[in-house]
Amino acid sequence: MSDGGELPSYYSLLSVAGIEMTEPVCLTSTLELDTSQTTILNSVQAVVDQFDDDYWLQLDRAGEFPHAFYDEMAKGGWLGIAMPEQVGGADLGIFEAVLMMYAVANSPGGMSAASAIHINIFGPHPIVTHGTEEQKNAWLPDLIRGRSKCCFGVTEPDSGLETGSIQTFARPDGDGYVITGQKIWTSTAQHADKIMLLARTTPKELCQRATDGLSLFFTDLDKRFVEVREIPKMGRSAVDSNLVFIDELPVPRNDLIGEEGRGFEYILHGLNPERILVGAEALGIGVQTLNRAVDYARNRVVFGRPIGQNQAIQHPLAENWMDLQSAFLVCMEAARLYDAGRPAGALANAAKYLGAEAGYRAATQSVMTHGGMGYAKEFHVERLMREVMINRIAPVSQQLVLSYIAERVLGLPKSY
């Protein structure tokens, strides 16, 4: 889908240059997928194929949300892939969700496409596991059908990854609460009408642990009491990230998920799936950029020979394929363990780390393989490289993943 921008698509440029497409790298070919899982991949591919390079380039330039893409994914029921059937979801596992998000990111949309729907895959999980039947029936169907958009308010300017230090406070007020505070890096808040909000209900000094006394709410993002200020950033411009200022937001008691004071415990249930999904999304971008680099290297002729004939071009791309393949297998094994109810923390963190690193290296190498044209927006790999950077930063830093593995797997003393 093109809006008529003046820059031609990557593949039309290659066609003009006489460059032929090769059979693309496909990580999923190494998996033994059943019929329904293969159908998921093919069906999602059919959706992402409707939105070409030019569509995403123009949204990146304008900083506009990909509403048409979001609506198509909602129409296909994909926003509820891991939600219960009773509320309109597909009731599938994280394994299937990972396949879907990998396919979404392995497209011209990259992280802009993935981030537009990412919150729907893991965000509502606390509602599923700890919400009442009334809450599930009231909230989840609209999220699944795309009639409602949700954002996730956890991180704060002065706390970062130290969740126990958040200061947003929910004080009791009649039959509910009044919430005041700030959140940062809240994605899609420009377009959301709902917010999953973590706030303190007991002062930190009165809690035994820093993460006690936090409560989780799913409530209206009422702009009369909330200011949403977009953060200009280096990549993924089509999906907004924001500072959120909350001033005396009234919240009904019915919008409290589970028990008061157990909010941190509830969001932990979604952390491992999110890490796996973020790793898979990075791998999707890595494969997308690797395929572009391979096509360019095979057909770009300099000094009378294709540049892909040179080992200085070949070897880094071969390393990229091995990085991507190995990280993908870790991602899928982590998803399988999680769905089986087995401990998945170590592999979930490894999936995020390895996927983010492999995707970033592949995107960077793709830019270098394209040479000067890699630096040009019309070849799109620079945009995808900028987008995959976020996977190394969020939702947890690579250094904290290493600390987790060192402490929890290797048994080394805590370093911080």
Side-chain angles (χ1 to χ4, degrees), residues 8-322:
S9 73
Y10 175 82
Y11 289 105
S12 66
L13 282 165
L14 295 188
S15 177
V16 169
I19 294 177
E20 299 178 0
M21 300 297 101
T22 59
E23 187 68 25
V25 171
C26 179
L27 300 185
T28 56
S29 62
T30 60
L31 300 177
E32 293 184 6
L33 302 178
D34 61 29
T35 302
S36 66
Q37 291 164 345
T38 301
T39 300
I40 289 170
L41 279 174
N42 292 338
S43 300
V44 172
Q45 190 65 51
V47 175
V48 300
D49 283 349
Q50 299 176 46
F51 302 90
D52 63 11
D53 284 321
D54 193 49
Y55 173 82
W56 293 105
L57 176 61
Q58 299 307 324
L59 292 181
D60 183 71
R61 286 172 145 188
E64 294 178 359
F65 189 83
H67 292 288
F69 168 76
Y70 181 94
D71 291 344
E72 281 299 310
M73 292 298 289
K75 188 193 305 182
W78 299 112
L79 303 186
I81 189 169
M83 295 294 104
E85 281 187 273
Q86 69 188 59
V87 291
D91 205 21
L92 297 174
I94 294 300
F95 190 96
E96 286 78 13
V98 167
L99 289 175
M100 181 186 86
M101 295 307 291
Y102 163 79
V104 166
N106 181 14
S107 75
M111 251 348 253
S112 289
S115 294
I117 62 172
H118 179 94
I119 182 67
N120 280 76
I121 310 305
F122 81 94
H125 196 65
I127 302 172
V128 175
T129 54
H130 300 288
T132 65
E133 290 303 311
E134 181 183 6
Q135 288 173 331
K136 294 175 191 176
N137 291 326
W139 296 334
L140 294 177
D142 283 348
L143 289 174
I144 291 168
R145 294 182 178 90
R147 296 194 297 245
S148 178
K149 289 187 175 71
C150 170
C151 60
F152 205 55
V154 175
T155 305
E156 297 187 2
D158 295 326
S159 64
L161 292 171
E162 191 181 354
T163 306
S165 293
I166 69 171
Q167 299 175 43
T168 297
F169 199 86
R171 74 172 193 272
D173 184 71
D175 190 27
Y177 303 85
V178 172
I179 299 181
T180 297
Q182 296 180 31
K183 298 296 178 181
I184 196 170
W185 297 116
T186 305
S187 294
T188 71
Q190 295 286 336
H191 305 281
D193 57 292
K194 291 284 189 177
I195 183 169
M196 182 81 73
L197 182 60
L198 188 68
R200 186 164 287 286
T201 45
T202 302
K204 183 179 178 180
E205 59 270 19
L206 299 181
C207 298
Q208 184 175 358
R209 299 176 303 173
T211 52
D212 292 340
L214 299 172
S215 299
L216 191 62
F217 302 88
F218 186 79
T219 194
D220 291 337
L221 189 65
D222 190 335
K223 300 299 176 60
R224 294 175 299 173
F225 305 94
V226 178
E227 178 189 355
V228 178
R229 190 180 303 169
E230 187 167 0
I231 303 170
K233 55 190 188 297
M234 71 177 289
R236 207 196 64 176
S237 298
V239 178
D240 51 285
S241 298
N242 304 276
L243 273 164
V244 176
F245 300 90
I246 305 167
D247 185 15
E248 300 285 292
L249 174 68
V251 175
R253 177 165 288 276
N254 287 341
D255 289 355
L256 172 70
I257 298 174
E259 298 178 29
E260 190 176 287
R262 297 181 64 186
F264 182 76
E265 173 189 338
Y266 297 158
I267 66 170
L268 286 178
H269 288 279
L271 295 186
N272 284 336
E274 185 185 20
R275 282 158 168 70
I276 302 168
L277 289 167
V278 167
E281 289 158 12
L283 292 172
I285 296 177
V287 172
Q288 176 72 196
T289 52
L290 175 60
N291 278 316
R292 292 172 185 254
V294 169
D295 285 328
Y296 192 83
R298 181 185 290 271
N299 291 279
R300 172 63 169 160
V301 175
V302 178
F303 297 118
R305 55 192 278 159
I307 63 171
Q309 193 172 343
N310 302 317
Q311 290 180 346
I313 297 292
Q314 291 181 354
H315 289 182
L317 297 178
E319 289 177 345
N320 289 150
W321 180 87
M322 290 186 283

